[in-house]
């Protein structure tokens, strides 16, 4: 695990976008899994700018959505679907056969998980996973206590996720379940980048990077990944050395 600290969130986003670009330059058929939410938002915007400026060819690249809230409409501005469509897919004009997002409104969610794992297998695995960290140390919707060996699954969301998740919505939503790639998908990815910014993330970042590797702190799995890069702004990094 490599940890890099940047002077501010803008620099972090710039460098994270550069990592995405390098991945695609190296592997024009890269399979990239992206989280949604505040952590990757600026990175997506920098990435879109850079792709347009350099006319980088994305025609071989596949994008996978990390997770989705069960029961939330795809067109709801708080959904992961909406985030990825508006921050990545539409601005870059990615064809529908090149992005793969969970449909969390199907009746058979277990089947939806199998489908996503099959897509990942058929594409030859994930080259780069870009994730955030929740206030409870979750990655995707891998909630505290979830075994490291899970692949795509439906998760019962813990209290922190249900509460913090309200920030994405304009009015209160019932957020009881999520559908998500698992930590085994993360372990199997050829590279993982975790992005964290802001002082609120400092304690959980320190716990994940310096504490015991345990399912109670899902993001601690990054310590064991052979090719993980943690990119932090100075605020998010501020509890690491204490
Ligand atoms: C979202 C996701 C979540 C978030 C995490 C941090 O797709 O997978 O695990 O990455 O909750 O959220 P932000 O970045 O909004 O602080």
């Amino acid at each position: 695990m490599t940890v890099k600290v940047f002077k501010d969130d803008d620099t972090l986003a710039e460098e994270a976008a550069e990592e995405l670009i390098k991945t695609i330059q190296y592997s024009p058929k890269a399979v990239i899994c992206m989280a949604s939410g505040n952590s990757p938002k600026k990175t997506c915007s920098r990435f879109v700018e850079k792709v347009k400026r350099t006319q980088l060819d994305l025609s071989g690249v596949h994008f996978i959505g990390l997770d989705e809230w069960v029961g939330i409409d795809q067109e709801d501005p708080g959904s992961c679907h909406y985030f990825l469509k508006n921050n990545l897919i539409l601005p870059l004009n990615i064809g529908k056969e090149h992005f793969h997002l969970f449909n969390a409104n199907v009746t058979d969610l277990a089947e939806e998980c199998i489908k996503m794992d099959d897509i990942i297998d058929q594409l030859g695995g994930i080259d780069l996973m870009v994730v955030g960290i929740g206030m409870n140390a979750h990655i995707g919707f891998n909630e505290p206590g979830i075994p490291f060996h899970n692949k795509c699954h439906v998760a019962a969301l813990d209290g922190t996720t249900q509460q913090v998740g309200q920030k994405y919505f304009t009015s209160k939503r019932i957020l009881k379940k999520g559908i998500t790639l698992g930590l085994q998908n993360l372990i199997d990815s050829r590279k993982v980048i975790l992005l964290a910014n802001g002082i609120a993330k400092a304690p959980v970042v320190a716990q994940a990077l310096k504490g015991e590797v345990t399912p109670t702190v899902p993001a601690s799995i990054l310590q064991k990944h052979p090719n993980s890069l943690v990119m932090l702004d100075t605020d998010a990094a501020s509890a690491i050395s204490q």
Side-chain angles (χ1 to χ4, degrees):
M1 180 178 71
T2 305
V3 181
K4 290 188 181 170
V5 181
F6 300 93
K7 67 176 169 32
D8 54 32
D9 188 34
D10 285 339
T11 320
L12 189 165
E14 181 69 23
E15 294 301 321
E18 205 44 52
E19 291 287 336
L20 279 155
I21 299 280
K22 278 193 285 183
T23 301
I24 296 166
Q25 285 171 336
Y26 184 74
S27 307
K29 293 186 174 171
V31 177
I32 297 175
C33 174
M34 284 293 298
S36 46
N38 295 342
S39 308
K41 193 162 179 174
K42 259 188 204 164
T43 298
C44 285
S45 129
R46 294 290 185 281
F47 174 63
V48 168
E49 278 168 32
K50 281 174 189 281
V51 169
K52 287 186 172 167
R53 197 172 58 234
T54 61
Q55 298 192 327
L56 184 66
D57 180 10
L58 297 185
S59 60
V61 177
H62 283 261
F63 292 93
I64 290 176
L66 177 60
D67 51 8
E68 186 57 280
W69 307 100
V70 171
I72 296 296
D73 195 273
Q74 292 181 349
E75 297 311 317
D76 188 318
S79 73
C80 300
H81 200 101
Y82 187 95
F83 176 96
L84 291 171
K85 275 221 145 154
N86 286 284
N87 289 286
L88 210 56
I89 292 163
L90 293 177
L92 291 174
N93 203 15
I94 310 287
K96 70 173 183 321
E97 61 292 351
H98 280 259
F99 65 87
H100 313 276
L101 310 181
F102 283 117
N103 181 351
N105 285 306
V106 292
T107 40
D108 194 345
L109 290 168
E111 178 64 26
E112 189 68 10
C113 292
I114 293 169
K115 267 198 327 216
M116 186 62 92
D117 276 325
D118 283 349
I119 289 170
I120 295 169
D121 285 348
Q122 280 158 20
L123 292 173
I126 296 172
D127 291 290
L128 174 62
M129 217 162 151
V130 179
V131 301
I133 179 171
M135 296 299 289
N136 56 2
H138 75 190
I139 286 186
F141 289 135
N142 290 275
E143 301 290 78
I146 195 77
F148 288 152
H149 62 259
N150 270 27
K151 289 193 158 190
C152 292
H153 62 278
V154 177
L157 301 178
D158 91 351
T160 304
T161 302
Q162 293 183 32
Q163 198 188 328
V164 175
Q166 299 297 333
K167 71 180 176 181
Y168 305 116
F169 300 93
T170 48
S171 59
K172 181 144 175 59
R173 296 284 188 283
I174 311 277
L175 304 173
K176 292 274 183 218
K177 282 186 186 171
I179 183 167
T180 183
L181 266 70
L183 294 176
Q184 185 65 51
N185 299 106
L186 179 143
I187 293 165
D188 293 342
S189 296
R190 288 183 266 283
K191 180 165 181 163
V192 183
I193 296 180
L194 182 135
L195 307 173
N197 54 9
I199 197 75
K201 293 280 174 75
V204 76
V205 164
Q207 195 188 12
L209 304 192
K210 296 289 172 187
E212 187 195 347
V213 178
T214 162
T216 317
V217 183
S220 64
I221 191 66
L222 268 293
Q223 294 183 40
K224 293 283 184 206
H225 193 287
N227 194 12
S228 61
L229 171 61
V230 178
M231 304 179 81
L232 308 170
D233 69 0
T234 42
D235 284 342
S238 59
I240 290 178
S241 55
Q242 286 166 15

